[in-house]
Amino acid sequence: SLFNWYVAKPPQFVGLNNYLDIFLRDGRFWAAVWHTVYLTGLCIPVELVLGTAIALLFNQRLPGNSLLRLLFVLPMVATPVAIALIWTIILTPSGGVLNSLLEQAGLPTFLWATHPDTVIPSLALVDIWQWTPMVTLIVLAALESLPDEPFEAALIDGASVVQVFFRITLPFLAPALAVAAMFRTMDTLKTFDVIYVITQG
């Protein structure tokens, strides 16, 4: 990193000049950092809340739960480029699926991934759709490993469902949520393929 490298020439030592270029002279670097932090800040809280809510639903032993779980994790295992192409069709401003639905409902349409004001929220929507299942699986595994005794004692003492969730379930889930947040933060900070295919850079 302390050299300038060219294909046909030997490396040339430049000291800290590369770092000075990035941090002091190249405004694109700080714009990229801000966009990345903004995207991460939009995605992670929503994914944690949605993932936890869906995990609580899947933990209820409802009929067809196994099939629903299988269908729910499909976005997570699909190829990123295929996902990006599908969402490009959905987010297309003229004739796209999302704007067509908004028009039928009598609501205003948006430029989605083609306008600077809406592109990052649009990309966050794609990321949330794709990676909420991962958070759900982590939280669901934690839910299924919880002991029954604290919940039975709380119900005997007359605790409401909301009290049980905030006083017992959520503290038990805190380590799993921290792991999910860490994994998703690392992944979101280095995401590239879906964004590049949808926005063309």
Side-chain angles (χ1 to χ4, degrees):
S1 66
L2 302 180
F3 291 80
N4 273 349
W5 292 76
Y6 299 96
V7 175
K9 298 179 182 179
Q12 178 187 3
F13 181 76
V14 293
L16 297 175
N17 201 45
N18 290 331
Y19 290 98
L20 293 174
D21 282 344
I22 289 176
F23 293 113
L24 300 178
R25 301 171 191 144
D26 189 354
R28 295 177 303 169
F29 172 77
W30 292 111
V33 169
W34 162 243
H35 292 148
T36 305
V37 170
Y38 179 29
L39 177 67
T40 305
L42 286 177
C43 294
I44 305 307
V46 177
E47 289 173 9
L48 290 176
V49 171
L50 272 180
T52 303
I54 296 167
L56 289 168
L57 183 64
F58 282 159
N59 198 41
Q60 296 303 310
R61 306 286 188 271
L62 300 173
N65 239 357
S66 299
L67 179 61
L68 287 174
R69 288 184 193 187
L70 176 64
L71 294 174
F72 188 68
V73 299
L74 287 179
M76 190 175 69
V77 299
T79 308
V81 174
I83 287 173
L85 292 173
I86 290 169
W87 275 94
T88 300
I89 295 169
I90 293 172
L91 297 173
T92 301
S94 57
V97 176
L98 203 48
N99 273 349
S100 296
L101 291 173
L102 290 174
E103 283 177 0
Q104 290 178 5
L107 297 172
T109 59
F110 298 95
L111 294 175
W112 300 112
T114 59
H115 193 277
D117 292 339
T118 55
V119 64
I120 294 181
S122 300
L123 295 171
L125 177 65
V126 177
D127 193 85
I128 290 164
W129 174 83
Q130 183 181 8
W131 292 110
T132 296
M134 178 182 175
V135 177
T136 300
L137 290 178
I138 294 171
V139 175
L140 189 58
L143 280 171
E144 291 178 346
S145 66
L146 295 183
D148 293 331
E149 292 80 7
F151 298 94
E152 292 170 356
L155 292 174
I156 290 171
D157 289 342
S160 67
V161 175
V162 175
Q163 288 174 324
V164 168
F165 176 73
F166 283 105
R167 300 280 177 89
I168 301 175
T169 309
L170 202 54
F172 272 130
L173 292 179
L177 289 171
V179 169
M182 181 183 67
F183 280 140
R184 288 302 308 128
T185 300
M186 289 189 302
D187 287 343
T188 310
L189 287 174
K190 63 183 182 180
T191 188
F192 173 78
D193 39 17
V194 171
I195 294 173
Y196 187 78
V197 174
I198 291 177
T199 65
Q200 298 301 310

